[in-house]
Amino acid sequence: MESAGPVGAQRQQLNLKKKNRMIKQSWLTATTAAVAMLSMTHANAQSSMAPDLGKLTATAGVIQVEGVSGGGLVPWATITGYGSRDSYGANVHYTYVGTQDYQLSSYGVAVGIADRVELSAAKQRFTGSLAPLNNLRIEQDIFGAKVKLAGDLVYDQDSWMPQIAAGVMYKRNNGIGGLGAVTSVKDLGAKSDSGIDYYLAATKLFLDQSLLVDLTVRATKANQMGILGFGGDKSDRYQAMLEGSVAYLLNRKVAIGAEYRMKPRNLASDNEKDYYDAFVAWFPTKNLSLTLAYVSLGDITIYNTKRQNGVYLSLQAGF
């Protein structure tokens, strides 16, 4: 049946406007209800989950150079922050690594939820100080997630069961500056400027012996942690790298230790060497920690074959 000319058209417009008003009203009602529900959920969360600083001093680890809870070079199975199973914790950090010819700075934030899940974000900046790499600048973004799978660092003292956690790090290299026509890690032979590291960490704390031991297995394609990209002309496949840490607590506020980290060798332009460090960590309060270490990072590229040794300094503040 045909519409009755202008009258029919006007009726259709009125019906359309009415329908739009109904949709708008329904959307506003749903939005208002959602906001109210979120507000109630947030209020309940605030009342039931609040920062409690419930974990023992130093058992949250410090912030590792890639922004996750662990030692200086190696991620541990620990969850950052001092929130217990019914709480949460968070921190900000700044790390500086200086060798004879290079500097690496890293800063970021990490959050631990219910002593079960950790989320982190960090930015690394790598620079050179010796010609011809004195103008070198490379930046990298790292986003991490970690989940505790089994065990408990403190409460499993009557067994050999370690705390076990699995984690991922998504890394995105932001290019190279200061090298003229070389503007991307791909120009140095890397296959990609982004990649993902997967790791499984087992960390055991022996309270009576004041000793912490960690073993981490990482599947990676990263060259120099991703600073020189991912994969290369020699290899472009995931490789399993072993990493380990040993720490001894001199008292409740001071720990000393050493770490080792295997590295892949994907690039003809960079025959990577394994990393080592020896560190001392000071925890004056649960809100603050300071880590000082001697690090050995090997040579960085074939353009500078000098072994790079230097200082590692990291400051972490949070709850």
Side-chain angles (χ1 to χ4, degrees):
M1 180 181 295
E2 296 182 4
S3 61
V7 176
Q10 187 177 18
R11 185 180 296 114
Q12 288 179 353
Q13 290 180 355
L14 290 174
N15 289 336
L16 182 61
K17 289 182 179 179
K18 182 177 180 181
K19 184 177 181 180
N20 287 338
R21 282 199 301 269
M22 292 176 63
I23 293 174
K24 184 177 181 181
Q25 185 62 42
S26 300
W27 182 85
L28 288 173
T29 302
T31 302
T32 303
V35 170
M37 184 176 297
L38 286 172
S39 299
M40 292 176 60
T41 302
H42 179 66
N44 291 336
Q46 285 186 319
S47 61
S48 62
M49 180 179 282
D52 60 11
L53 297 174
K55 295 194 291 190
L56 297 177
T57 302
T59 58
V62 295
I63 288 296
Q64 179 254 6
V65 70
E66 290 155 301
V68 306
S69 173
L73 298 175
V74 179
W76 297 350
T78 51
I79 301 297
T80 196
Y82 283 97
S84 67
R85 297 174 183 175
D86 301 315
S87 183
Y88 61 91
N91 63 66
V92 294
H93 80 275
Y94 176 80
T95 298
Y96 170 83
V97 181
T99 67
Q100 304 99 307
D101 306 317
Y102 303 100
Q103 295 80 43
L104 173 67
S105 61
S106 172
Y107 60 90
V109 61
V111 178
I113 304 169
D115 197 29
R116 174 69 60 177
V117 176
E118 176 182 296
L119 303 174
S120 61
K123 177 176 282 290
Q124 291 181 332
R125 180 180 173 86
F126 182 79
T127 58
S129 59
L130 181 69
L133 303 178
N134 53 305
N135 293 319
L136 175 65
R137 300 184 312 277
I138 303 175
E139 291 188 353
Q140 177 173 238
D141 299 319
I142 303 175
F143 301 95
K146 183 194 301 185
V147 178
K148 183 167 73 172
L149 302 177
D152 189 277
L153 196 69
V154 174
Y155 295 110
D156 285 340
Q157 294 299 305
D158 57 349
S159 76
W160 285 92
M161 180 69 179
Q163 181 165 311
I164 300 174
V168 296
M169 297 179 189
Y170 170 72
K171 302 178 179 182
R172 182 180 61 211
N173 190 289
N174 296 322
I176 298 176
L179 288 186
V182 178
T183 59
S184 168
V185 290
K186 295 180 181 179
D187 296 331
L188 298 176
K191 293 296 185 181
S192 177
D193 56 9
S194 64
I196 301 176
D197 285 3
Y198 304 90
Y199 65 90
L200 185 68
T203 308
K204 181 63 179 177
L205 175 63
F206 301 93
L207 276 175
D208 290 343
Q209 291 76 28
S210 300
L211 184 67
L212 180 144
V213 180
D214 173 86
L215 179 64
T216 298
V217 180
R218 182 193 303 250
T220 183
K221 294 183 180 182
N223 310 315
Q224 300 292 358
M225 298 186 293
I227 292 171
L228 297 183
F230 304 84
D233 43 10
K234 294 172 63 176
S235 176
D236 187 32
R237 60 182 177 83
Y238 275 100
Q239 300 177 58
M241 300 287 110
L242 291 178
E243 306 174 11
S245 305
V246 176
Y248 178 74
L249 281 73
L250 297 176
N251 54 52
R252 293 183 179 181
K253 296 184 181 294
V254 180
I256 60 174
E259 296 182 293
Y260 165 75
R261 176 170 171 173
M262 289 178 62
K263 304 304 301 305
R265 293 161 179 83
N266 300 322
L267 293 173
S269 61
D270 178 27
N271 187 27
E272 284 193 67
K273 302 296 191 299
D274 296 345
Y275 291 170
Y276 306 86
D277 78 11
F279 67 86
V280 55
W282 179 41
F283 305 86
T285 70
K286 290 183 179 180
N287 303 109
L288 186 68
S289 70
L290 180 67
T291 305
L292 178 65
Y294 170 83
V295 294
S296 179
L297 305 179
D299 53 288
I300 304 300
T301 70
I302 60 173
Y303 306 108
N304 183 351
T305 57
K306 187 189 305 180
R307 190 171 187 86
Q308 298 297 314
N309 303 320
V311 64
Y312 173 106
L313 180 64
S314 183
L315 179 67
Q316 172 184 305
F319 56 88

